[in-house]
Amino acid sequence: MSLLSHRPALTRISLVVAVALSATAHAAPQATTLDVVNVTAASETEQARAALKRVPGASNVVDLTNADRRLSTSADVLAYQPGVSAQSPGNEGAKVSIRGSGINRGPGAHASGISVSLDGLPLTGPGGTPYELLEPLWLSRAEVLRGANGFERGALALGGAINYVSRSGRDSTGLDVQYEAGSRGYQKRSIGYGGVSGDVDYYLAYTDTEADGYQRHAASDGKGAMANLGWQITPQLETRFFVRYRETNHETPGRLTRDQIRNDPRAANPANLAIDARRPQPGSTWIGNKTSWQIDEASSLQAGLVYHTYPMDLNESLYRQQLDYSNLNATLDYRHRHVLFGRDSVTTLGLRVTHDLDADVRETLRFASNGYAAGTHTRDFSHHGTDSTLRVGNDLALTDALHLQTGLALINTRRDVQVTWPATPERLREQQWDYAPRLGITWQQTPQLQWFGNLSRSVEPAHPWSMIWGSNQYFGPGHGASTGRQRAPVPLDNQTATTLELGARGDSVLGRWELTGYYARVLHELLTVEVMPVPNLFVAENNASPTVHRGLEAGLDSTLWEGREGRLALRQAYTFSDFRYRHDALFGSNRLPGLPRHYYQAELRYDHPTGFYAALNTEYASKMFVDYANSVSADSHVIVGSRVGYDAPGGRWQAWAELRNIGDRHYAATVTPGYNDAGKDVARSTPGEGRGVYAGVRWRFE
């Protein structure tokens, strides 16, 4: 069945070794000096790209060490990446989806469908993925494992895994100062300092940002600091500590109708204005440690532990919800090289646990209502969860070119959800076991061409909060200010999918390329629907009838011309997405709303040897439906931008300026779907950014 109407629901060390060899000729008294040989180790980004090529599936590596464009949100970080949809709603809560993961989750909230890590340690917990700690200027790169390919990271979600890797003293030495500014009050200031002292490396940074926003009532600000400290205790033992702290606050302008998107996209939703909707996040702290031990030449062990606290103060409806969130997350990974059936083999064993220490909510009235004063206590509820994944995998070299990868993961999910005030007896305490086998293959046909494929199962449990926020059981009359609020949780099944993926990647006369196709049969897909708009906002989640996710992902980075006068290059990313019901009783084979079927990004760039560069870019997205009945769709769009800049020789400083959406095209960036709008133009879309001018400068002092 469809959504139920009764439950609406090291190392970037640039290691340069100069080996000076001299030889004394026995036949002649004169010494002969050979040329100096320079051997440069691969950067951490290159090493990461090489490591992901061993995965029998699609992946992306985004290098951010010398970013020369505005980096405001995760949407900027993940631009031009095939298979990845990343759109900003005008604040930091970017909507990121891979292969339809979290396809209809509203932006600006905890994200679903992708397991996100910081430096290999879990950020995503049972309640989803908070976004305030994902400051782009703190990153050296992002690693994306699309779909079931997140298996080796303990990520079993439909969309896969994203690992955001922090800058360290090994890739960011000295003092680094950066400033960005632009349209509508946008400013970002950042200062960082890093270095290496003997066996210790360190990097510390402070960043703050502010913006008025594109829509009215969309102002935001944030500030925070991070630290990355590594210690090579012995040649075989390394430990690394990570700390992130950040405060954010943003107004919530709300969603608009298609007519407003076309004619007045900077408007705010009147209901959001009337209640001064906003989302303060008073201070999130993430403290982690990762320790690696090279046991011997064949074996290694890595352990990680994270404490994460992230309180929120939601003022986005008629109710104020103060959330106390904290997690304790842990990882353990063992790797062993050995011989199996006479062939080289690598076996891995891993454990990933994410556990809610606190997930408690106090709810009060924001305004006087029905004779009750503002501040009146309406509810307390808790929604705790624990997700544990144990996995074993093996990579067997059938030949030097052909590798067979197998794996099996077991996942244990625990949920404990209850309304604690007014006290109710309905407490949901459940435990589910599930499994995820995986079979993959890579074939390096030539040094320039690799084929890959896998058949895998993914498992995604429901968030504990969705079991209460989407409940259809309410307090009746006689419960004072609590009347009409959800009083009891409802159970939800794990979302599972079986995915077949086939693809290839390589280098050719056209450039570096990749092409991937996938087909996923999804059961109990967790879909959301807006049941009631602001001011009494109510978005429910439920298990859907069977669905299909299928698509194509293609990327091509080409050098069109290169000579003494510079280089002209073109990078392109195309994603085709077809997500739909499988013979649903009500919606038949309707497409799932929330994402465009066709999405294309490209950039043409010229680099001059002196350090000057100029680029033109474009983005195309086809229309996307805004309701499950497919009765209304948001318009397709094409936007064009440009960028110029200068990188000083030696990397001492850089400056850039860019013009976004030159034609000031009005379009919907994200959609939060409804059930059946019956052709009516309902406010469901957030507008994409209009024409804007931005500039930035960065100085480095060693």
Side-chain angles (χ1 to χ4, degrees), residues 265-283:
R266 299 198 64 184
N269 188 301
N272 288 66
L273 282 177
I275 64 171
D276 187 24
R278 58 182 62 245
R279 187 185 181 96
Q281 298 180 130

Side-chain angles (χ1 to χ4, degrees), residues 92 131-132 221-223 246-250 279-283:
E92 296 180 11
Y131 57 82
E132 63 274 9
D221 61 79
K223 58 184 177 181
R246 198 154 181 270
E247 305 169 6
T248 63
N249 179 54
H250 64 76
R279 187 185 181 96
Q281 298 180 130

Side-chain angles (χ1 to χ4, degrees), residues 15-21 36-39:
L15 192 55
V16 179
V17 181
V19 182
L21 300 175
V36 172
V37 179
N38 292 321
V39 181

Side-chain angles (χ1 to χ4, degrees), residues 18 108 110 115 148-149 168 196 254 362 376 392 435 528 540 547 558 564 587 589-590 615:
H110 285 185
S115 294
N149 302 303
S168 73
V196 180
R362 176 181 171 83
T376 298
V392 60
Y435 67 98
T528 57
T547 55
S558 307
R564 297 179 59 185
F587 294 134
S589 297
N590 278 11

Side-chain angles (χ1 to χ4, degrees), residues 19-25 28-37:
V19 182
L21 300 175
S22 61
T24 303
Q30 183 176 359
T32 302
T33 302
L34 301 183
D35 292 337
V36 172
V37 179

